[in-house]
């Protein structure tokens, strides 16, 4: 099942092998759980979202045929937050985890490299489609990358606009 409400859910630090092994269900579960939480955060404040691994719905709540996360090149972002971007544009996000122990480098270096790799793969194509792109890179044992922190600030800012109307839309990194 999906680990709701937490970016790591039941995926604990004790699962060392699973966090560095390049195959297996643990990586997919943690990855998909993170995409689900980001979608749920945006949906909690009234937005709509599509995730590559789940059925997509448009802004009117109607099921969309096909995968809306597939770009014209065939690359797939992990999720799209409809209307969450500047001036009501859409945000494309690709989630990734970096295990510093496996990459044999410092946390900041490993995160920055993965963000750069994601930007090389997706940024220009997303721009050409009018999508803002954020590589949402997290450390396998905790910690947000620079771009992930930026996206979180965007979502918190949007939630703060609604906070005065409805206190339930107030949340933090906790």
């Amino acid at each position: 099942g999906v680990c709701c409400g937490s970016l790591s859910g039941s995926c604990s630090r004790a699962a060392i092998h699973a966090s560095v092994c390049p195959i297996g269900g643990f990586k997919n579960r943690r990855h998909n759980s993170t995409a689900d939480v980001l979608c749920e955060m945006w949906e909690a404040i009234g937005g709509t979202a599509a995730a590559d691994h789940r059925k997509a719905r448009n802004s009117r709540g109607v099921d969309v045929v096909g995968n809306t996360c597939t770009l014209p090149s065939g690359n797939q972002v992990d999720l799209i937050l409809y209307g969450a971007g500047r001036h009501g544009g859409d945000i494309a996000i690709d989630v990734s985890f970096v295990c510093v122990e496996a990459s044999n480098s410092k946390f900041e270096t490993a995160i920055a490299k993965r963000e750069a790799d994601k930007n090389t793969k997706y940024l220009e194509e997303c721009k050409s489609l009018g999508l803002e792109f954020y590589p949402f890179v997290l450390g396998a044992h905790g910690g947000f990358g620079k771009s992930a922190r930026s996206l979180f600030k965007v979502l918190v800012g949007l939630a703060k606009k609604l906070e005065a109307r409805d206190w339930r839309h107030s949340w933090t990194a906790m």
Side-chain angles (χ1 to χ4, degrees):
V2 174
C3 310
C4 294
S6 164
L7 289 180
S8 60
S10 64
C11 309
S12 73
R13 187 180 178 123
I16 299 300
H17 173 76
S19 69
V20 297
C21 184
I23 58 173
F26 179 84
K27 280 202 176 290
N28 288 339
R29 186 180 66 178
R30 178 177 55 187
H31 177 274
N32 292 348
S33 294
T34 301
D36 285 337
V37 168
L38 291 169
C39 287
E40 289 167 9
M41 288 170 69
W42 179 231
E43 290 165 351
I45 57 176
T48 57
D52 181 45
H53 69 280
R54 69 180 194 174
K55 186 180 280 187
R57 294 184 169 233
N58 66 18
S59 61
R60 295 179 306 279
V62 177
D63 289 348
V64 175
V65 178
N67 188 338
T68 59
C69 295
T70 302
L71 305 175
S73 67
N75 289 333
Q76 290 181 311
V77 292
D78 293 316
L79 63 143
I80 297 175
L81 305 180
Y82 297 109
R86 288 183 277 281
H87 312 295
D90 301 334
I91 293 178
I93 302 165
D94 197 73
V95 175
S96 188
F97 282 86
V98 173
C99 182
V100 177
E101 290 89 353
S103 68
N104 213 8
S105 61
K106 289 185 174 183
F107 178 81
E108 294 83 12
T109 305
I111 296 285
K113 181 182 180 330
R114 183 66 57 87
E115 285 180 349
D117 292 345
K118 295 292 182 181
N119 279 324
T120 298
K121 185 173 182 178
Y122 299 107
L123 184 63
E124 289 306 315
E125 185 174 12
C126 285
K127 273 186 188 178
S128 74
L129 298 170
L131 296 168
E132 292 178 38
F133 176 71
Y134 288 87
F136 198 83
V137 182
L138 302 166
H141 303 301
F144 281 43
K146 184 178 180 180
S147 181
R149 286 190 306 271
S150 294
L151 175 65
F152 194 78
K153 286 178 185 176
V154 167
L155 293 174
V156 168
L158 292 166
K160 283 185 183 215
K161 289 179 182 178
L162 297 175
E163 187 177 35
R165 286 186 277 161
D166 188 346
W167 63 270
R168 292 172 294 179
H169 297 306
S170 173
W171 29 259
T172 67
M174 296 300 288

